[in-house]
Amino acid sequence: MLAFMAFLPILVIIVLMAGMNWPAKKAVPVGWLLAAIIALTFWKMDFTAVLGASMFGALKGFDVLVIIFGAILLMNTLDESGAMATIKNGFMGVTKDRRIQAIIIGWMFGAFIEGAAGFGTPAALAGPLLVGLGFPPLAAAMVALIFNSTPVSFGCVGTPIFGAMGTLAGNLTTAGAPVSAEVFQLSLTKYVALTHAVCGTFIPLLGVCFLTRFFGEERSVKHGLAAAPFAVFAGLCLTVPYVATAWLFGPEFPSLVGALIGLPILIIAARSGFLAPSKPWDFVESGKWEANWKSVVETAVTKEKEEAKMSMFMAWLPYVLIALILVLTRVPSLGIKGWITKQTITFPPIFGIANFKYAFQYLYLPGTIPFVLVSLLMIPIHGMSGIQVTRAWKATFKKCSGAAIALLFGVGMTHLMLNSNMNPLHLDSMMVTMAKAAAGVFGAAWPLVSPFVGVLGAFISGSNTVSNILFSSFQFDVATQLGLSHTLINSLQVIGGAVGNMICVNNVVAVCATVGTIGAEGTIIRRNFFPCVIYGLAAAFFVLFLMGITNLY
């Protein structure tokens, strides 16, 4: 009964968004309200604890809003300055095939941004860039989310792995594990990367098949399959250096290095037509697009713009600066990360509850540095007028207002469920209650379920890192109870948390906000559910194979 009640708010959100096509800004507050009522009545939480957890979550949601604001501002700034017109023409110069454009930008460029920044940033950047190239906004949002999966486990220089180890270190000690935390982390990194590489190599193909199935004139996957040689090649361009980096150096750089090596190879291949389909594929003309393909509000990236009047170097300079700044501020050994993370505004605990102490890292958030910073730098560098700057900022505030409600209530609900163990009945939190019930039901079939626990955590929290923090210890305990490999079961947790980015509410809301398809969140979740399940099952079966040939702790 308690497990069902714990799951009910999530179920209601899923039904409202995916089943009834409610926008997230309406469905998520309903889910939060239901979670609050359940916490007060079934978990007997104190009202101040319920309110405090929700407020703390809303403040954490503000962090996400800052990232969204920065990403939107950057795109609006580049569009107003004329940089987007140049970038668009540049990619058209590489190839006119929309399938290959999607792979280069969504898969490879997105992987680089994920490796450096993470936390929903790649899709929020790749989506508008695809729109700027002429993609229907709904198509851009959908495919950007599908591609933002394989790189996620090593996003933000390995943060999801470190998040998992933050909880697993205690398990290794109490369980008397025969390996140290350092050894376990390296082993976990290796098998997360290997499994991702085997499954993720085919994600570019899966993504373009979904693109042609839902947005092609014939609504068929055959045009996606026609791009299979190039798509698989693109997968290998990322996953080969990705898995090699993980096995040699650990969790910080697989996505970053994989993309840095793969991107120039892929662009050269596309320019030369290597393995490219003989006939380019394009969408039907925009006048024939269905209503839900389009942005519901006029945005900078969807306006018709004049011909490019800027050099390719100047147009791409913002992204060069973003890449450099992200590396400089995210790699600990360079020394800047330590200083920048200390620039924090710390607030007193909400209602005096120690767990609810919010700290705003105003410089470390990618929304401020590099996105807002680079946007400001582009004003003089691109010679923007005051009118152009004003239009960019006004459009940004307008778009962000649509995403704010869903994000604040969504993250508020997540933290309420996470902290529901603060109750006089000494009950586990709603999160743990759900997970334990699932383990009891599935038993020895747990490897097939394990990745979807990670998906669930990411779906409701919007973060692979948070999903790992929530469920890694639980997955470790289940592996102990069932006599399964702790390394491989926890690798499925990490992978599931990455795959869940395709459908997680926060990321879907963020991407829809940046491309202007606010209200289409349910459609995207419903469609992306299928590649999410395919990826999760593929990972599960590969891990079952590994369990049969290895003897990992």
Side-chain angles (χ1 to χ4, degrees):
M1 179 63 178
L2 282 178
F4 174 76
M5 296 308 298
F7 184 64
L8 189 58
I10 300 170
L11 179 62
V12 167
I13 292 175
I14 293 172
V15 171
L16 291 178
M17 291 181 65
M20 301 177 66
N21 214 30
W22 278 34
K25 65 181 182 181
K26 291 184 178 180
V28 176
V30 171
W32 169 82
L33 179 61
L34 183 56
I37 293 171
I38 292 171
L40 290 168
T41 54
F42 286 84
W43 267 256
K44 304 297 182 182
M45 288 183 68
D46 185 77
F47 179 77
T48 56
V50 171
L51 187 59
S54 301
M55 291 174 63
F56 177 73
L59 288 170
K60 301 296 285 186
F62 178 73
D63 290 349
V64 182
L65 274 177
V66 171
I67 298 174
I68 294 173
F69 180 88
I72 295 173
L73 178 63
L74 177 67
M75 294 308 305
N76 286 337
T77 298
L78 297 187
D79 193 73
E80 290 291 344
S81 74
M84 279 304 304
T86 299
I87 291 173
K88 174 182 177 180
N89 290 348
F91 272 111
M92 291 298 289
V94 173
T95 175
K96 293 183 179 180
D97 195 312
R98 300 300 191 181
R99 296 164 295 188
I100 296 178
Q101 289 176 350
I103 291 171
I104 292 173
I105 296 171
W107 170 249
M108 196 65 79
F109 178 67
F112 171 78
I113 299 300
E114 178 64 46
F119 295 100
T121 308
L125 280 176
L129 184 53
L130 291 171
V131 172
L133 292 174
F135 278 59
L138 185 65
M142 184 192 78
V143 77
L145 286 164
I146 292 174
F147 288 151
N148 188 216
S149 48
T150 303
V152 173
S153 291
F154 303 107
C156 197
V157 286
T159 299
I161 296 291
F162 296 132
M165 290 305 303
T167 63
L168 289 174
N171 292 68
L172 291 165
T173 301
T174 57
V179 296
S180 67
E182 182 179 355
V183 171
F184 188 84
Q185 176 178 295
L186 182 58
S187 180
L188 180 64
T189 297
K190 289 179 177 180
Y191 287 95
V192 167
L194 180 61
T195 306
H196 262 316
V198 169
C199 303
T201 295
F202 299 96
I203 284 298
L205 176 59
L206 187 62
V208 294
C209 283
F210 271 70
L211 188 68
T212 60
R213 166 63 180 84
F214 289 106
F215 299 97
E217 187 172 8
E218 297 180 30
R219 303 297 177 88
S220 172
V221 300
K222 70 179 183 180
H223 295 292
L225 293 173
F230 185 88
V232 174
F233 172 72
L236 291 170
C237 283
L238 175 69
T239 57
V240 170
Y242 167 102
V243 74
T245 304
W247 278 65
L248 292 173
F249 302 109
E252 290 90 347
F253 298 111
S255 297
L256 198 62
V257 171
L260 281 172
I261 293 174
L263 185 58
I265 295 174
L266 202 57
I267 290 176
I268 292 171
R271 283 188 181 278
S272 65
F274 179 69
L275 297 178
S278 57
K279 183 179 180 182
W281 179 85
D282 200 354
F283 304 102
V284 295
E285 60 185 56
S286 59
K288 296 180 181 180
W289 289 358
E290 295 181 11
N292 71 340
W293 291 16
K294 305 174 184 177
S295 173
V296 296
V297 294
E298 186 181 26
T299 65
V301 295
T302 57
K303 293 177 184 175
E304 292 295 328
K305 289 293 177 183
E306 59 184 5
E307 290 298 318
K309 297 179 180 179
M310 186 180 295
S311 71
M312 191 63 68
F313 172 77
M314 289 297 290
W316 276 101
L317 180 60
Y319 290 105
V320 174
L321 291 175
I322 285 172
L324 290 173
I325 293 170
L326 284 172
V327 171
L328 289 173
T329 57
R330 264 59 185 177
V331 178
S333 60
L334 297 178
I336 298 176
K337 179 179 179 179
W339 178 83
I340 206 172
T341 54
K342 292 178 182 177
Q343 309 311 305
T344 303
I345 300 175
T346 303
F347 295 85
I350 300 173
F351 300 131
I353 302 174
N355 287 0
F356 306 145
K357 187 176 182 180
Y358 172 69
F360 180 50
Q361 293 182 308
Y362 56 93
L363 293 184
Y364 188 65
L365 287 173
T368 51
I369 295 179
F371 298 146
V372 171
L373 174 61
V374 171
S375 298
L376 294 173
L377 290 174
M378 289 306 106
I379 295 173
I381 291 175
H382 284 175
M384 295 178 66
S385 68
I387 294 175
Q388 289 175 315
V389 174
T390 300
R391 281 202 303 257
W393 281 78
K394 281 186 176 179
T396 302
F397 277 109
K398 183 177 180 181
K399 274 172 89 173
C400 281
S401 63
I405 294 174
L407 285 170
L408 298 182
F409 277 95
V411 185
M413 185 187 79
T414 298
H415 281 270
L416 171 58
M417 298 176 73
L418 175 61
N419 290 282
S420 54
N421 60 333
M422 299 171 58
N423 63 76
L425 303 179
H426 304 293
L427 297 173
D428 289 327
S429 69
M430 295 183 190
M431 296 287 191
V432 174
T433 299
M434 285 188 289
K436 285 186 175 179
V441 170
F442 294 101
W446 186 251
L448 296 176
V449 180
S450 179
F452 298 103
V453 174
V455 169
L456 176 63
F459 174 79
I460 58 179
S461 71
S463 168
N464 190 359
T465 301
V466 175
S467 179
N468 293 343
I469 291 171
L470 291 175
F471 293 128
S472 289
S473 290
F474 166 68
Q475 298 262 19
F476 188 98
D477 291 338
V478 172
T480 299
Q481 296 166 15
L482 299 175
L484 301 173
S485 167
H486 299 82
T487 300
L488 294 177
I489 290 298
N490 275 279
S491 72
L492 287 175
Q493 159 60 40
V494 175
I495 291 163
V499 175
N501 275 254
M502 294 185 190
I503 60 171
C504 75
V505 175
N506 287 4
N507 284 2
V508 172
V509 170
V511 176
C512 285
T514 58
V515 301
T517 55
I518 297 171
E521 296 92 348
T523 299
I524 291 175
I525 290 174
R526 191 163 55 245
R527 290 179 177 177
N528 284 9
F529 174 77
F530 294 101
C532 176
V533 171
I534 291 169
Y535 201 140
L537 287 176
F541 281 112
F542 181 69
V543 164
L544 282 171
F545 166 74
L546 289 176
M547 286 181 176
I549 63 172
T550 63
N551 190 28
L552 290 169
Y553 171 74

